[in-house]
Amino acid sequence: MFVLVVGAGRVGAALATSALGNGHIVSVLDEDPLSHERLDVELGRSWEEAGGRFTIGTAMEVDALIEAGVEEADVFIASTNGDNTNLVVSQIAQRRFGVDRVIARVLDPRRAAWYSEQGLQTICPTQIAIEQLQQAAFSA
């Protein structure tokens, strides 16, 4: 399976290295060239030596998405630190490029719910934290 991860922060890097370790073909797109180091550290060796692809570019630029492999992607994960970026690039991957499985990390619970209702798979860490805290604080 070809997995494209947009955003090589803590979440994106962990997802990418996990997918690579599970035998998937993985490409990472990030605008910060230094984020590549996080991938190397996660693996304990060079990302490319392990078989990963890395593209420096802005996810909002279609050319960068194409260079990173969006046209080949079976799974597209948007995990940048910006909800707007994650939502827009996820919709581009889903609607323009027809990626089968598109997942966007969205920090705002209301926006995550609304976009989910529109057919975009969202993961909302904020909502998950709220639910877990409520469970921990108020369950018997």
Side-chain angles (χ1 to χ4, degrees):
M1 185 171 2
F2 185 92
V3 180
L4 174 53
V5 178
V6 176
R10 288 183 299 259
V11 172
L15 285 168
T17 55
S18 173
L20 193 65
N22 286 320
H24 301 293
I25 300 164
V26 183
S27 177
V28 174
L29 171 63
D30 197 288
E31 62 188 7
D32 180 5
L34 296 178
S35 67
H36 184 276
E37 294 174 10
R38 184 175 283 115
L39 296 166
D40 294 345
V41 168
E42 286 277 335
L43 285 173
R45 62 183 170 147
S46 165
W47 174 249
E48 284 78 9
E49 286 175 6
R53 279 172 52 179
F54 186 81
T55 304
I56 299 167
T58 303
M60 298 289 274
E61 295 175 2
V62 172
D63 289 344
L65 290 170
I66 291 171
E67 184 180 342
V70 70
E71 295 171 310
E72 311 160 51
D74 300 300
V75 177
F76 181 95
I77 300 169
S79 65
T80 74
N81 61 2
D83 283 0
N84 291 336
T85 298
N86 291 343
L87 291 166
V88 170
V89 299
S90 292
Q91 290 177 88
I92 291 169
Q94 184 180 56
R95 295 179 182 166
R96 179 170 177 182
F97 293 102
V99 178
D100 289 332
R101 180 167 222 146
V102 176
I103 308 152
R105 180 177 75 165
V106 183
L107 297 177
D108 181 337
R110 288 189 179 108
R111 292 176 77 196
W114 190 86
Y115 278 94
S116 181
E117 290 169 7
Q118 307 313 307
L120 183 64
Q121 185 174 355
T122 60
I123 302 294
C124 182
T126 307
Q127 186 63 44
I128 293 167
I130 290 167
E131 292 167 6
Q132 289 181 347
L133 289 165
Q134 287 174 332
Q135 178 72 21
F138 306 117
S139 66

